[in-house]
Amino acid sequence: MGDSSGSVLTAALLCFFAMDEELERDERVFLLGEEVAQYDGAYKVSRGLWKKYGDKRIIDTPITEMGFTGIAVGAAMAGLRPICEFMTFNFSMQAIDQVINSAAKTYYMSAGLQSVPIVFRGPNGASAGVAAQHSQCFAAWYGHCPGLKVVSPWNAEDAKGLLKSAIRDDNPVVFLENELMYGVPFEMSEESQSKDFTIPIGKAKVERQGTHVTMVTHSRYVSHCLDAAAVLAKEGIECEVINLRTIRPLDVDCIETSVMKTNHLVTVEGGWPQFGVGAEICARVMEGPAFNYLDAPATRVTGVDIPMPYAKILEDNSLPQIKDIIFSVKKTLNV
């Protein structure tokens, strides 16, 4: 991996490594999207891939999401393994018919005869100062739909291991990155820098062990929860933090095991509350064996139920902050 052998790397760089290694490993893999080739990607995630693999495998598209997503889905049906990049998942709304009706449903509608091995990837959720039309979290949107796998990495290791698994998967995978996490450096184990390193889709990870309350979260908010847990630990409250990694299929076993240990549940996400990821987690816990272990009602921390404002102070108050998580944990524990 050349000069990449250092142990502190960013999520953007690890997404690049994942794509580079899979492009090299399997000639059926190709990348297409707006500005992914000659411009090296809007966020430089595909930097250098066009020069290495050429026009045939790194393809710049016009600004027509419905069109290039349809091309990618058709290519997957024909036996290729496309990585379809959305400059932001907000733009995937232009192509949602292709993602849901063409990609997600085909394997079922063909009675298992036609697989659609495709990855839809790009930044998801709120960035900063880009207002209502560019700040939505699509985890619950796509997590609602059978036929899709939906992945939401947090750190650099997640980004690499899960993206490689997504590219190798024979089903359509929605891969929800986060723009604000692209440049954050993370410690990387030697194992995770191997070309053979993958993380299984559908398995959550306990990022911090605790005994008093379970926090379940994904993407950028894993960092928020770990920061909140560090503050609460100074007050004698030990939080268990679960990084979902995958939204669909949801690792209910991991959540239930933790709730049975801590007897309290707080979910944290940046998306809207109604029919959100947290709402689904609460329902699954209520319907399963862990419900009888709860000593208090589960609590959700979410984005505010409004379109995202543009003004910074309003934007900050529309998204979960560390203080909001701390407040909810104390409310749940009645302290």
Side-chain angles (χ1 to χ4, degrees), residues 219-242:
S219 188
R220 179 176 172 233
Y221 292 95
V222 178
S223 294
H224 284 49
C225 287
L226 290 171
D227 289 345
V231 173
L232 288 162
K234 294 175 182 174
E235 301 178 33
I237 299 169
E238 293 298 332
C239 305
E240 184 143 297
V241 178
I242 294 176

Side-chain angles (χ1 to χ4, degrees), residues 128-142:
V130 291
Q133 293 170 327
H134 295 77
S135 299
Q136 294 154 114
C137 176
F138 285 84
W141 291 54
Y142 289 118

Side-chain angles (χ1 to χ4, degrees), residues 118-136:
I118 185 170
V119 177
F120 303 103
R121 55 158 292 271
N124 169 68
S127 175
V130 291
Q133 293 170 327
H134 295 77
S135 299
Q136 294 154 114

Side-chain angles (χ1 to χ4, degrees), residues 156-178:
E157 186 174 296
D158 288 356
K160 185 186 181 193
L162 288 166
L163 184 51
K164 286 173 74 76
S165 290
I167 294 167
R168 296 180 188 188
D169 202 290
D170 287 333
N171 301 282
V173 180
V174 173
F175 196 85
L176 304 170
E177 298 158 16
N178 187 286

Side-chain angles (χ1 to χ4, degrees), residues 2 5 23 26 49 78 82 132 145 147 183 203 248 254 264 286 293 298 300 302 309 316 322 335:
S5 57
L23 282 157
D26 188 342
L49 292 180
C145 302
K203 292 295 181 185
R248 183 183 188 103
C254 178
H264 298 88
M286 188 180 72
Y293 288 78
R300 290 181 292 161
T302 70
D316 289 345
I322 294 167
V335 296

Side-chain angles (χ1 to χ4, degrees), residues 16-323:
F16 162 81
F17 284 142
M19 290 193 291
D20 185 24
E21 289 168 10
E22 294 306 303
L23 282 157
E24 192 176 82
R25 175 179 172 272
D26 188 342
E27 63 182 13
R28 297 171 298 172
V29 176
F30 71 98
L31 171 68
L32 81 168
E34 294 157 5
E35 298 186 344
V36 300
Q38 295 185 43
Y39 188 68
D40 283 337
Y43 303 97
K44 307 306 174 194
V45 174
S46 54
R47 188 196 301 270
L49 292 180
W50 175 63
K51 287 181 180 175
K52 182 173 181 179
Y53 295 102
D55 290 326
K56 188 177 178 183
R57 300 186 66 196
I58 312 296
I59 303 168
D60 277 329
T61 66
I63 304 172
T64 167
E65 280 79 11
M66 175 65 89
F68 71 72
T69 306
I71 288 170
V73 172
M77 291 178 177
L80 298 179
R81 304 185 81 87
I83 306 166
C84 177
E85 177 178 314
F86 296 116
M87 193 179 290
T88 149
F89 260 95
N90 297 279
F91 303 154
S92 76
M93 289 172 71
Q94 305 290 332
I96 203 162
D97 181 58
Q98 298 287 8
V99 177
I100 305 300
N101 280 329
S102 299
K105 297 177 182 176
T106 294
Y107 186 71
Y108 176 83
M109 293 180 73
S110 68
L113 294 176
Q114 178 66 65
S115 59
V116 187
I118 185 170
V119 177
F120 303 103
R121 55 158 292 271
N124 169 68
S127 175
V130 291
Q133 293 170 327
H134 295 77
S135 299
Q136 294 154 114
C137 176
F138 285 84
W141 291 54
Y142 289 118
H144 185 62
C145 302
L148 291 176
K149 295 184 179 182
V150 182
V151 176
S152 181
W154 164 53
N155 62 11
E157 186 174 296
D158 288 356
K160 185 186 181 193
L162 288 166
L163 184 51
K164 286 173 74 76
S165 290
I167 294 167
R168 296 180 188 188
D169 202 290
D170 287 333
N171 301 282
V173 180
V174 173
F175 196 85
L176 304 170
E177 298 158 16
N178 187 286
E179 181 186 339
L180 297 177
M181 297 305 294
Y182 276 150
V184 179
F186 287 96
E187 289 284 338
M188 293 286 293
S189 65
E190 197 171 321
E191 178 202 6
S192 64
Q193 295 181 63
S194 159
K195 287 189 177 183
D196 299 319
F197 177 74
T198 58
I199 293 172
I201 293 172
K203 292 295 181 185
K205 182 184 179 187
V206 177
E207 298 288 352
R208 180 188 175 114
Q209 296 283 344
T211 52
H212 296 129
V213 61
T214 298
M215 291 187 202
V216 185
T217 184
H218 68 99
S219 188
R220 179 176 172 233
Y221 292 95
V222 178
S223 294
H224 284 49
C225 287
L226 290 171
D227 289 345
V231 173
L232 288 162
K234 294 175 182 174
E235 301 178 33
I237 299 169
E238 293 298 332
C239 305
E240 184 143 297
V241 178
I242 294 176
N243 170 14
L244 281 175
R245 284 182 164 172
T246 306
I247 307 300
R248 183 183 188 103
L250 200 61
D251 190 352
V252 179
D253 288 346
C254 178
I255 298 167
E256 287 180 338
T257 300
S258 179
V259 170
M260 288 174 176
K261 179 174 74 170
T262 68
N263 311 116
H264 298 88
L265 172 64
V266 175
T267 68
V268 183
E269 64 186 306
W272 293 313
Q274 191 154 323
F275 312 113
V277 175
E280 175 66 16
I281 291 166
C282 291
R284 297 284 274 272
V285 167
M286 188 180 72
E287 292 166 351
F291 176 69
N292 293 319
Y293 288 78
L294 283 174
D295 288 341
T299 307
R300 290 181 292 161
V301 182
T302 70
V304 176
D305 200 18
I306 58 169
M308 180 64 73
Y310 174 70
K312 186 178 188 316
I313 190 167
L314 296 178
E315 181 181 70
D316 289 345
N317 281 281
S318 298
L319 292 168
Q321 305 297 329
I322 294 167
K323 62 180 174 61

